[in-house]
Amino acid sequence: DVKVTQSSRYLVKRTGEKVFLECVQDMDHENMFWYRQDPGLGLRLIYFSYDVKMKEKGDIPEGYSVSREKKERFSLILESASTNQTSMYLCASRLPGGQGNTEAFFGQGTRLTVV
Amino acid sequence: QKEVEQDPGPLSVPEGAIVSLNCTYSNSAFQYFMWYRQYSRKGPELLMYTYSSGNKEDGRFTAQVDKSSKYISLFIRDSQPSDSATYLCAMSQAGGSYIPTFGRGTSLIVHP
């Protein structure tokens, strides 16, 4: 059974803190994604990693960075948390894109509140 | 204008109804079209996937793509309360990284 695991379901952090969100997949997928999901805005891509140590900025990378040192793990880092980063964060993984390889498998999400 | 437009709803229907969910898009390069279902407090899961134009059927679910109109639909027949969820359309171009662009999602409520 395929699995994408996010380290926390709920997090509460203070403004200015450095925050780490961890994601691990057990499917040997090359591609991994970080999205944030907000009411009325849907899923917005923060960063995409197409392989170990490889990354691309998504639509809203400002205030975030990522790390992919091992194939199975993709970390999202909020350098200095702000209240407008309060959101649901979703990690996903996938085989490289192409016909027949388009399904992304999502974790259960981390609901982050910045106070 | 967003690349992918989807009415957020909520859409409320009685059990047994036929449900029609839709997305429009502006990027004519999109070739892969997907529907994800997301239950409350869960991550999205792939429901249907279509390449280019045409129809695809899987049980009570039918996905349609009309590339000439830049319009995709998901039909649910004999809807059940267990179908209550948020449905997200997603689409991607052929080539490059095939990164999917998601719609905002439509909240569906099927009441008994």
Side-chain angles (χ1 to χ4, degrees):
Chain A
D1 198 17
V2 298
K3 201 153 188 187
V4 178
T5 304
Q6 294 182 231
S7 53
S8 305
R9 289 296 303 273
Y10 301 95
L11 273 180
V12 180
K13 296 292 182 180
R14 295 196 179 277
T15 301
E17 275 193 76
K18 191 168 186 175
V19 181
F20 294 85
L21 302 183
E22 305 287 346
C23 176
V24 177
Q25 52 98 358
D26 65 1
M27 295 164 282
D28 202 34
H29 286 165
E30 283 83 359
N31 294 175
M32 296 189 76
F33 305 79
W34 275 107
Y35 291 91
R36 62 178 283 178
Q37 185 174 30
D38 300 287
L41 296 176
L43 267 70
R44 292 181 293 166
L45 181 66
I46 306 172
Y47 267 97
F48 165 64
S49 170
Y50 48 97
D51 212 331
V52 176
K53 297 189 189 293
M54 303 295 185
K55 62 185 179 185
E56 281 184 17
K57 291 181 180 179
D59 300 317
I60 51 164
E62 296 79 19
Y64 303 95
S65 62
V66 290
S67 173
R68 183 112 181 259
E69 295 297 318
K70 293 185 177 182
K71 193 174 187 180
E72 66 271 18
R73 186 179 298 269
F74 192 32
S75 303
L76 179 69
I77 303 153
L78 285 66
E79 298 292 341
S80 178
S82 64
T83 55
N84 64 13
Q85 292 178 309
T86 292
S87 186
M88 169 70 84
Y89 289 88
L90 287 161
C91 174
S93 75
R94 184 191 70 179
L95 289 169
Q99 193 164 2
N101 288 337
T102 51
E103 179 173 5
F105 295 87
F106 284 84
Q108 59 194 14
T110 296
R111 184 165 295 281
L112 173 67
T113 302
V114 182
V115 298
Chain B
Q1 182 192 9
K2 283 175 65 71
E3 272 194 304
V4 179
E5 297 282 359
Q6 184 176 12
D7 188 334
L11 178 62
S12 182
V13 301
E15 183 175 354
I18 296 173
V19 175
S20 172
L21 303 166
N22 311 293
C23 288
T24 59
Y25 63 94
S26 57
N27 187 344
S28 58
F30 286 144
Q31 293 277 6
Y32 297 93
F33 302 93
M34 294 148 279
W35 286 96
Y36 283 80
R37 179 175 60 194
Q38 184 177 21
Y39 291 114
S40 181
R41 292 186 291 277
K42 299 278 190 181
E45 293 178 305
L46 184 68
L47 190 61
M48 300 280 287
Y49 151 65
T50 309
Y51 171 68
S52 194
S53 282
N55 295 359
K56 189 171 187 178
E57 190 172 319
D58 184 3
R60 296 184 295 111
F61 298 88
T62 300
Q64 285 186 352
V65 175
D66 181 351
K67 291 188 70 180
S68 63
S69 301
K70 298 191 179 70
Y71 189 89
I72 71 170
S73 301
L74 178 71
F75 297 96
I76 308 174
R77 291 183 298 281
D78 187 25
S79 57
Q80 302 295 310
S82 58
D83 295 326
S84 298
T86 296
Y87 291 79
L88 301 112
C89 63
M91 41 199 86
S92 63
Q93 300 181 42
S97 301
Y98 298 84
I99 295 175
T101 299
F102 283 84
R104 292 186 293 172
T106 299
S107 175
L108 172 67
I109 303 164
V110 181
H111 51 88

Coordinates of all heavy atoms in Angstrom, one line a residue, chain B residues 17-76:
Chain B
A17 N -29.3 11.3 -6.9 CA -29.2 12.3 -8.0 C -28.0 12.1 -8.9 O -27.0 11.5 -8.5 CB -29.2 13.7 -7.5
I18 N -28.1 12.6 -10.1 CA -26.9 12.7 -11.0 C -26.2 14.0 -10.8 O -26.8 15.1 -10.8 CB -27.3 12.6 -12.5 CG1 -28.0 11.2 -12.8 CG2 -26.1 12.8 -13.4 CD1 -28.5 11.1 -14.2
V19 N -24.9 13.9 -10.5 CA -24.1 15.1 -10.2 C -23.2 15.5 -11.3 O -22.6 14.6 -11.9 CB -23.3 14.9 -8.9 CG1 -22.4 16.1 -8.6 CG2 -24.2 14.6 -7.7
S20 N -23.2 16.7 -11.7 CA -22.3 17.2 -12.7 C -21.3 18.2 -12.1 O -21.7 19.2 -11.5 CB -23.1 17.8 -13.8 OG -22.2 18.5 -14.8
L21 N -20.0 17.9 -12.2 CA -19.0 18.8 -11.7 C -18.1 19.3 -12.9 O -17.8 18.5 -13.8 CB -18.1 18.1 -10.7 CG -18.8 17.6 -9.5 CD1 -17.9 16.6 -8.7 CD2 -19.3 18.7 -8.6
N22 N -17.7 20.5 -12.9 CA -17.1 21.1 -14.1 C -15.9 22.0 -13.8 O -15.8 22.6 -12.8 CB -18.1 21.9 -14.9 CG -19.4 21.2 -15.1 OD1 -19.5 20.2 -15.8 ND2 -20.5 21.7 -14.4
C23 N -15.0 22.0 -14.8 CA -13.9 23.0 -14.8 C -13.7 23.5 -16.2 O -13.9 22.8 -17.1 CB -12.6 22.3 -14.3 SG -12.6 21.8 -12.6
T24 N -13.3 24.8 -16.2 CA -12.8 25.4 -17.5 C -11.4 25.7 -17.3 O -10.9 25.9 -16.2 CB -13.7 26.6 -17.8 OG1 -13.5 27.6 -16.8 CG2 -15.1 26.3 -18.0
Y25 N -10.7 25.8 -18.5 CA -9.3 26.2 -18.4 C -8.9 27.1 -19.6 O -9.6 27.1 -20.6 CB -8.4 24.9 -18.4 CG -8.5 24.0 -19.6 CD1 -7.6 24.1 -20.6 CD2 -9.5 23.1 -19.6 CE1 -7.7 23.3 -21.7 CE2 -9.6 22.2 -20.7 CZ -8.7 22.3 -21.8 OH -8.8 21.5 -22.9
S26 N -7.8 27.7 -19.5 CA -7.4 28.7 -20.5 C -6.2 28.2 -21.3 O -5.9 28.7 -22.4 CB -7.1 30.0 -19.9 OG -6.1 30.0 -18.9
N27 N -5.4 27.3 -20.8 CA -4.2 26.9 -21.4 C -4.4 25.7 -22.4 O -4.7 24.6 -22.0 CB -3.2 26.4 -20.3 CG -1.8 26.1 -20.9 OD1 -1.6 26.0 -22.1 ND2 -0.8 26.1 -20.0
S28 N -4.3 26.0 -23.7 CA -4.6 25.0 -24.7 C -3.6 23.9 -24.7 O -3.8 22.9 -25.4 CB -4.8 25.6 -26.0 OG -3.6 26.3 -26.4
A29 N -2.5 24.0 -24.0 CA -1.4 23.0 -24.0 C -1.7 21.9 -23.0 O -1.0 20.9 -23.0 CB -0.1 23.6 -23.6
F30 N -2.7 22.0 -22.2 CA -3.1 21.0 -21.2 C -3.5 19.7 -22.0 O -4.3 19.8 -22.9 CB -4.2 21.4 -20.3 CG -3.7 22.3 -19.2 CD1 -4.6 23.4 -18.8 CD2 -2.5 22.2 -18.6 CE1 -4.2 24.2 -17.8 CE2 -2.1 23.1 -17.6 CZ -3.0 24.1 -17.2
Q31 N -2.9 18.6 -21.6 CA -3.2 17.3 -22.3 C -3.7 16.2 -21.3 O -4.3 15.3 -21.7 CB -1.9 16.8 -23.0 CG -1.4 17.6 -24.1 CD -2.2 17.4 -25.4 OE1 -3.1 16.6 -25.5 NE2 -1.7 18.0 -26.5
Y32 N -3.3 16.4 -20.0 CA -3.7 15.4 -19.0 C -4.7 16.0 -18.1 O -4.4 17.1 -17.6 CB -2.4 14.9 -18.3 CG -1.4 14.2 -19.1 CD1 -0.4 15.0 -19.7 CD2 -1.5 12.9 -19.4 CE1 0.6 14.4 -20.5 CE2 -0.5 12.3 -20.2 CZ 0.5 13.0 -20.8 OH 1.4 12.4 -21.6
F33 N -5.8 15.3 -17.9 CA -6.9 15.8 -17.1 C -7.2 14.8 -16.0 O -7.5 13.6 -16.3 CB -8.1 16.1 -18.0 CG -7.8 17.1 -19.1 CD1 -7.3 16.6 -20.3 CD2 -7.8 18.4 -18.9 CE1 -7.0 17.4 -21.4 CE2 -7.5 19.3 -19.9 CZ -7.1 18.8 -21.1
M34 N -7.3 15.3 -14.8 CA -7.5 14.4 -13.6 C -8.6 15.0 -12.7 O -8.8 16.2 -12.7 CB -6.2 14.3 -12.8 CG -5.1 13.6 -13.5 SD -3.4 14.3 -13.1 CE -3.4 15.8 -14.1
W35 N -9.2 14.1 -12.0 CA -10.2 14.5 -10.9 C -9.7 13.8 -9.7 O -9.4 12.6 -9.6 CB -11.6 14.0 -11.3 CG -12.2 14.9 -12.3 CD1 -12.3 14.6 -13.6 CD2 -12.9 16.1 -12.1 NE1 -13.0 15.6 -14.3 CE2 -13.4 16.6 -13.3 CE3 -13.2 16.9 -11.0 CZ2 -14.1 17.7 -13.5 CZ3 -13.9 18.1 -11.1 CH2 -14.3 18.5 -12.4
Y36 N -9.5 14.6 -8.6 CA -9.2 14.1 -7.3 C -10.4 14.3 -6.4 O -11.1 15.3 -6.5 CB -8.0 14.8 -6.7 CG -6.6 14.4 -7.3 CD1 -6.2 14.9 -8.5 CD2 -5.8 13.6 -6.6 CE1 -5.0 14.5 -9.1 CE2 -4.6 13.2 -7.1 CZ -4.2 13.7 -8.3 OH -2.9 13.3 -8.9
R37 N -10.5 13.4 -5.4 CA -11.5 13.5 -4.4 C -10.8 13.7 -3.0 O -9.9 13.0 -2.7 CB -12.4 12.2 -4.4 CG -13.5 12.2 -3.3 CD -14.4 11.0 -3.5 NE -13.6 9.7 -3.4 CZ -14.0 8.6 -3.7 NH1 -15.3 8.4 -4.3 NH2 -13.3 7.5 -3.6
Q38 N -11.3 14.6 -2.3 CA -10.7 14.9 -1.0 C -11.8 14.8 0.1 O -12.7 15.7 0.1 CB -10.0 16.2 -1.0 CG -9.3 16.5 0.3 CD -8.5 17.9 0.3 OE1 -8.8 18.7 -0.5 NE2 -7.5 18.0 1.1
Y39 N -11.7 13.9 1.0 CA -12.6 13.8 2.1 C -12.1 14.8 3.2 O -10.9 15.1 3.3 CB -12.7 12.4 2.7 CG -13.5 11.5 1.8 CD1 -12.8 10.4 1.2 CD2 -14.8 11.6 1.6 CE1 -13.5 9.5 0.4 CE2 -15.5 10.8 0.7 CZ -14.9 9.7 0.1 OH -15.5 8.8 -0.7
S40 N -13.0 15.2 4.1 CA -12.6 16.1 5.2 C -11.4 15.6 6.0 O -11.4 14.4 6.4 CB -13.8 16.4 6.1 OG -13.6 17.3 7.1
R41 N -10.5 16.5 6.2 CA -9.3 16.1 7.0 C -8.4 15.0 6.4 O -7.7 14.3 7.1 CB -9.7 15.8 8.5 CG -10.2 17.0 9.2 CD -10.5 16.7 10.7 NE -11.6 15.8 10.8 CZ -12.8 16.1 10.9 NH1 -13.2 17.4 10.7 NH2 -13.8 15.2 11.0
K42 N -8.5 14.9 5.1 CA -7.7 13.9 4.4 C -7.0 14.6 3.2 O -7.4 15.6 2.8 CB -8.5 12.7 3.9 CG -9.3 12.0 4.9 CD -8.4 10.9 5.6 CE -9.2 10.0 6.5 NZ -8.4 9.0 7.2
G43 N -5.9 13.9 2.7 CA -5.3 14.4 1.5 C -6.1 14.0 0.3 O -6.9 13.0 0.3
P44 N -6.0 14.6 -0.9 CA -6.7 14.2 -2.1 C -6.2 12.9 -2.6 O -5.1 12.5 -2.4 CB -6.3 15.3 -3.1 CG -5.8 16.5 -2.3 CD -5.2 15.9 -1.1
E45 N -7.2 12.2 -3.3 CA -6.9 10.9 -3.9 C -7.3 10.9 -5.3 O -8.4 11.4 -5.6 CB -7.6 9.7 -3.2 CG -7.1 9.5 -1.8 CD -7.9 8.4 -1.1 OE1 -9.2 8.5 -1.1 OE2 -7.3 7.4 -0.7
L46 N -6.6 10.3 -6.2 CA -6.9 10.3 -7.7 C -8.2 9.5 -7.9 O -8.3 8.3 -7.4 CB -5.8 9.8 -8.5 CG -6.0 9.8 -10.0 CD1 -6.1 11.3 -10.5 CD2 -5.0 9.0 -10.8
L47 N -9.1 10.1 -8.6 CA -10.4 9.4 -8.9 C -10.4 8.9 -10.3 O -10.8 7.8 -10.6 CB -11.6 10.3 -8.6 CG -13.0 9.8 -8.6 CD1 -13.2 8.7 -7.5 CD2 -13.9 11.0 -8.3
M48 N -10.2 9.9 -11.2 CA -10.2 9.6 -12.7 C -9.1 10.3 -13.4 O -8.7 11.4 -13.0 CB -11.5 10.1 -13.3 CG -12.8 9.5 -12.7 SD -13.2 7.8 -13.4 CE -13.7 8.3 -15.0
Y49 N -8.6 9.8 -14.5 CA -7.6 10.4 -15.3 C -7.9 10.2 -16.7 O -8.3 9.1 -17.2 CB -6.2 9.7 -14.9 CG -5.2 9.7 -16.0 CD1 -4.7 10.8 -16.5 CD2 -4.8 8.4 -16.5 CE1 -3.7 10.8 -17.5 CE2 -3.8 8.4 -17.5 CZ -3.3 9.5 -18.0 OH -2.3 9.5 -19.0
T50 N -7.8 11.2 -17.5 CA -8.0 11.2 -19.0 C -6.9 11.8 -19.7 O -6.4 12.9 -19.3 CB -9.4 11.9 -19.3 OG1 -10.4 11.4 -18.5 CG2 -9.8 11.6 -20.8
Y51 N -6.5 11.2 -20.8 CA -5.5 11.9 -21.6 C -6.2 12.4 -22.9 O -6.9 11.7 -23.5 CB -4.4 10.8 -22.0 CG -3.4 11.4 -23.1 CD1 -2.5 12.4 -22.8 CD2 -3.4 10.9 -24.4 CE1 -1.7 12.9 -23.7 CE2 -2.6 11.3 -25.3 CZ -1.7 12.4 -25.0 OH -0.8 12.8 -25.9
S52 N -6.0 13.7 -23.2 CA -6.5 14.4 -24.3 C -8.0 14.4 -24.2 O -8.6 14.4 -23.2 CB -6.0 13.8 -25.6 OG -6.2 14.7 -26.7
S53 N -8.7 14.4 -25.4 CA -10.2 14.5 -25.4 C -10.9 13.1 -25.2 O -10.2 12.1 -25.3 CB -10.6 15.1 -26.7 OG -10.4 16.5 -26.7
G54 N -12.2 13.2 -24.9 CA -13.0 12.0 -24.9 C -13.6 11.7 -23.6 O -13.5 12.6 -22.7
N55 N -14.2 10.6 -23.5 CA -14.9 10.1 -22.2 C -14.2 8.9 -21.6 O -13.5 8.2 -22.3 CB -16.3 9.7 -22.5 CG -17.2 10.8 -23.0 OD1 -16.7 12.0 -23.1 ND2 -18.4 10.5 -23.4
K56 N -14.3 8.8 -20.3 CA -13.8 7.7 -19.6 C -14.8 7.3 -18.5 O -15.3 8.2 -17.8 CB -12.5 7.9 -19.0 CG -11.8 6.7 -18.4 CD -10.4 7.1 -18.0 CE -9.6 5.8 -17.6 NZ -8.2 6.2 -17.3
E57 N -15.2 6.1 -18.4 CA -16.2 5.6 -17.4 C -15.5 4.7 -16.4 O -14.7 3.8 -16.8 CB -17.3 5.0 -18.1 CG -18.5 4.7 -17.3 CD -19.8 4.3 -18.1 OE1 -20.0 4.8 -19.2 OE2 -20.4 3.3 -17.6
D58 N -15.9 4.8 -15.2 CA -15.5 3.9 -14.1 C -16.6 3.7 -13.1 O -16.7 4.6 -12.3 CB -14.2 4.4 -13.5 CG -13.6 3.4 -12.5 OD1 -14.2 2.3 -12.3 OD2 -12.6 3.7 -11.8
G59 N -17.4 2.7 -13.2 CA -18.5 2.5 -12.3 C -19.5 3.6 -12.4 O -20.0 3.9 -13.5
R60 N -19.8 4.3 -11.4 CA -20.7 5.4 -11.3 C -20.2 6.7 -11.8 O -20.9 7.7 -11.9 CB -21.3 5.6 -9.9 CG -22.1 4.4 -9.4 CD -22.7 4.6 -8.0 NE -21.7 4.8 -7.0 CZ -21.5 6.0 -6.4 NH1 -22.2 7.1 -6.7 NH2 -20.5 6.1 -5.5
F61 N -18.9 6.7 -12.1 CA -18.2 8.0 -12.5 C -17.9 8.0 -14.0 O -17.4 7.0 -14.5 CB -16.9 8.1 -11.7 CG -17.1 8.2 -10.2 CD1 -17.2 7.0 -9.4 CD2 -17.3 9.4 -9.6 CE1 -17.4 7.1 -8.1 CE2 -17.5 9.5 -8.2 CZ -17.5 8.3 -7.4
T62 N -18.1 9.2 -14.6 CA -17.7 9.4 -16.0 C -17.0 10.7 -16.1 O -17.5 11.7 -15.6 CB -19.0 9.4 -16.9 OG1 -19.6 8.2 -16.8 CG2 -18.5 9.7 -18.4
A63 N -15.8 10.7 -16.7 CA -15.1 11.9 -16.9 C -15.2 12.3 -18.4 O -15.0 11.4 -19.3 CB -13.6 11.8 -16.5
Q64 N -15.4 13.5 -18.7 CA -15.5 14.0 -20.1 C -14.5 15.2 -20.3 O -14.4 16.0 -19.4 CB -16.9 14.5 -20.5 CG -17.9 13.4 -20.7 CD -19.2 13.9 -21.1 OE1 -19.4 15.1 -21.2 NE2 -20.1 13.0 -21.5
V65 N -13.9 15.2 -21.4 CA -13.0 16.3 -21.8 C -13.4 16.8 -23.2 O -13.5 16.1 -24.1 CB -11.5 15.8 -21.8 CG1 -10.6 17.0 -22.3 CG2 -11.0 15.4 -20.5
D66 N -13.6 18.1 -23.2 CA -13.9 18.8 -24.5 C -12.8 19.8 -24.7 O -12.9 21.0 -24.2 CB -15.3 19.4 -24.5 CG -15.7 20.1 -25.8 OD1 -14.8 20.2 -26.7 OD2 -16.8 20.5 -25.9
K67 N -11.8 19.5 -25.5 CA -10.7 20.4 -25.6 C -11.0 21.6 -26.5 O -10.4 22.7 -26.3 CB -9.4 19.7 -26.2 CG -8.8 18.7 -25.2 CD -7.5 18.1 -25.7 CE -6.5 19.1 -25.7 NZ -5.2 18.6 -26.2
S68 N -12.0 21.4 -27.4 CA -12.3 22.6 -28.2 C -13.0 23.7 -27.4 O -12.8 24.9 -27.7 CB -13.3 22.1 -29.4 OG -14.5 21.6 -28.8
S69 N -13.7 23.3 -26.4 CA -14.3 24.3 -25.5 C -13.5 24.6 -24.2 O -13.9 25.4 -23.4 CB -15.7 23.8 -25.1 OG -16.5 23.6 -26.2
K70 N -12.4 23.8 -24.0 CA -11.6 23.9 -22.8 C -12.4 23.7 -21.6 O -12.5 24.6 -20.7 CB -10.8 25.3 -22.8 CG -9.9 25.5 -23.9 CD -9.0 26.7 -23.7 CE -8.0 26.9 -24.8 NZ -8.7 27.4 -26.0
Y71 N -13.1 22.6 -21.6 CA -14.1 22.3 -20.6 C -14.0 20.8 -20.2 O -14.0 20.0 -21.1 CB -15.5 22.6 -21.2 CG -16.6 22.6 -20.2 CD1 -17.0 23.8 -19.5 CD2 -17.4 21.5 -20.1 CE1 -18.1 23.8 -18.7 CE2 -18.5 21.5 -19.3 CZ -18.9 22.6 -18.6 OH -20.0 22.6 -17.8
I72 N -14.0 20.5 -18.9 CA -14.0 19.1 -18.5 C -15.1 18.9 -17.4 O -15.5 19.9 -16.7 CB -12.6 18.7 -17.9 CG1 -12.3 19.3 -16.6 CG2 -11.5 19.0 -18.9 CD1 -11.1 18.6 -15.9
S73 N -15.6 17.7 -17.4 CA -16.7 17.4 -16.5 C -16.5 16.1 -15.8 O -15.8 15.2 -16.4 CB -18.0 17.3 -17.3 OG -18.3 18.5 -17.9
L74 N -17.1 16.0 -14.6 CA -17.1 14.7 -13.9 C -18.6 14.5 -13.6 O -19.2 15.3 -13.0 CB -16.3 14.7 -12.7 CG -16.4 13.4 -11.8 CD1 -15.6 12.3 -12.5 CD2 -15.8 13.7 -10.4
F75 N -19.1 13.3 -14.0 CA -20.5 13.0 -13.7 C -20.5 11.8 -12.7 O -19.8 10.9 -12.8 CB -21.3 12.5 -15.0 CG -21.4 13.6 -16.0 CD1 -20.5 13.7 -17.0 CD2 -22.4 14.6 -15.9 CE1 -20.6 14.7 -18.0 CE2 -22.5 15.6 -16.8 CZ -21.6 15.7 -17.9
I76 N -21.4 12.0 -11.7 CA -21.6 10.9 -10.7 C -23.0 10.5 -10.8 O -24.0 11.3 -10.6 CB -21.3 11.4 -9.3 CG1 -19.9 12.0 -9.2 CG2 -21.3 10.2 -8.3 CD1 -19.6 12.6 -7.9

